[in-house]
Amino acid sequence: MALDARPVAMLDRAVVFLGPPGSGKGTQAKEVAKAFGIPHLSTGDMLREHVSKGTPLGLKAKPIMERGDLVPDSLVLKMVAERIERPDCSHGFVFDGFPRTVTQAKYLGELVKQHGFKQPFVLHMVIGSSVLIRRLTGRRTCKVGGEIYNIYDRPPKVEGICDNDGGELIQRPDDREEVIRERLLAYEKRTAPLVQFYRRLGQLQDIDADKSVEEVKQRMFESLAGIGGVR
Ligand code: AP5
């Protein structure tokens, strides 16, 4: 069956995308959200929205994100807990960029239990760091719908304009090479330990993320079809 023709299945758990900056978490998380009709929750996007609105959380997060560090757990956890209270999360949700620390992972485990979901299923995007700089410096994102492009590998039909909605394509301020290096360090130090954490719990599946977008998508849906949470 063609992937796009699959019926909307039900998901009774959170799917988590875990992987370094530029590994394709956002690109693939959108596909899972679309296929299952559940929300795509990117903590990076939520924080950027707070920054652009100048909320108290945004004001605290801005300098931290600009230097490529992680926003403190206490701030992120409160934001996530509020978000999954909304009714659109009642059949599951896809996390992209959360959890990022062991504290966040333990909190998520408790949170899903409270909401009557099974424990999260983690898709671990495996990729070497050499390709990530090119992917991130080349990334452009639609200001309107959030569609993700790459000027080298996935360019829009018209430069600077989104194919879907004509929105302006922008470059993230943290996609400068010096900040990317800090983000990669933060990933290795604070987030990579989650691979072992979830592997030990039997909740993690490795995905080779150094393939084309279509190949990664195919592999990811095969993994999701193999878990008990999809019915
Ligand atoms: P966040 O927004 O989560 O950024 P990130 O984790 O660094 O990940 P990216 O969005 O950069 O990459 P991605 O893996 O989603 O790749 P994408 O699909 O876009 O976080 C930003 C900041 O917010 C953090 O630094 C931190 O400060 C803060 N933050 C967020 N969450 C937090 C948390 N939980 N706790 C604390 N702080 C938090 O793809 C990248 C490019 O590659 C695109 O151009 C795409 O077209 C291209 N591409 C994708 N797949 C492929 C492929 N298979 N082949 C070729 N090109 C591809």
Side-chain angles (χ1 to χ4, degrees), residues 11-228:
L11 199 64
D12 56 1
R13 62 169 76 184
V15 173
V16 166
F17 278 85
L18 176 63
S23 56
K25 303 183 297 294
T27 300
Q28 301 295 344
K30 285 181 204 300
E31 297 293 336
V32 175
K34 196 163 71 179
F36 291 102
I38 53 176
H40 164 216
L41 308 181
S42 155
T43 42
D45 286 347
M46 291 182 210
L47 289 166
R48 279 184 286 279
E49 200 179 329
H50 278 280
V51 170
S52 74
K53 286 182 177 160
T55 67
L57 168 56
L59 293 175
K60 283 185 196 147
K62 188 169 187 270
I64 301 170
M65 294 171 79
E66 278 173 354
R67 63 173 186 263
D69 209 346
L70 294 189
V71 175
D73 288 337
S74 56
L75 300 178
V76 173
L77 295 179
K78 185 165 180 282
M79 179 181 79
V80 166
E82 284 170 6
R83 179 62 186 88
I84 72 166
E85 285 298 329
R86 292 199 209 152
D88 64 342
C89 289
S90 58
H91 294 295
F93 32 88
V94 186
F95 272 123
D96 155 15
F98 177 86
R100 254 173 152 106
T101 63
V102 172
T103 302
Q104 291 182 14
K106 288 182 176 164
Y107 183 82
L108 177 62
E110 287 304 313
L111 208 57
V112 293
K113 218 187 282 175
Q114 282 167 22
H115 284 74
F117 291 114
K118 288 183 185 172
Q119 286 300 301
F121 184 69
V122 179
L123 294 166
H124 171 219
M125 308 293 270
V126 181
I127 190 162
S129 56
S130 54
V131 278
L132 298 176
I133 304 253
R134 179 183 159 94
R135 282 198 187 178
L136 290 169
T137 52
R139 172 169 52 192
R140 300 292 182 273
T141 309
C142 175
K143 217 174 161 180
V144 179
E147 185 69 16
I148 302 168
Y149 295 87
N150 191 285
I151 56 169
Y152 306 117
D153 302 323
R154 215 184 181 207
K157 290 186 186 117
V158 179
E159 193 185 328
I161 305 287
C162 179
D163 297 346
N164 295 349
D165 54 25
E168 182 193 352
L169 301 186
I170 52 166
Q171 185 170 26
R172 271 172 42 179
D174 61 347
D175 276 348
R176 285 178 292 119
E177 206 164 322
E178 61 276 21
V179 187
I180 293 171
R181 293 195 189 280
E182 292 304 317
R183 288 162 60 201
L184 290 171
L185 287 175
Y187 178 80
E188 281 311 316
K189 198 170 154 203
R190 311 275 308 278
T191 308
L194 289 184
V195 175
Q196 271 307 95
F197 176 90
Y198 281 118
R199 204 185 294 286
R200 271 200 212 108
L201 294 171
Q203 291 170 228
L204 179 137
Q205 176 79 51
D206 290 324
I207 301 283
D208 182 356
D210 195 6
K211 298 269 187 252
S212 71
V213 170
E214 277 309 311
E215 284 171 295
V216 176
K217 179 175 163 183
Q218 178 86 33
R219 182 71 191 90
M220 173 186 80
F221 277 112
E222 282 165 11
S223 290
L224 289 174
I227 62 167

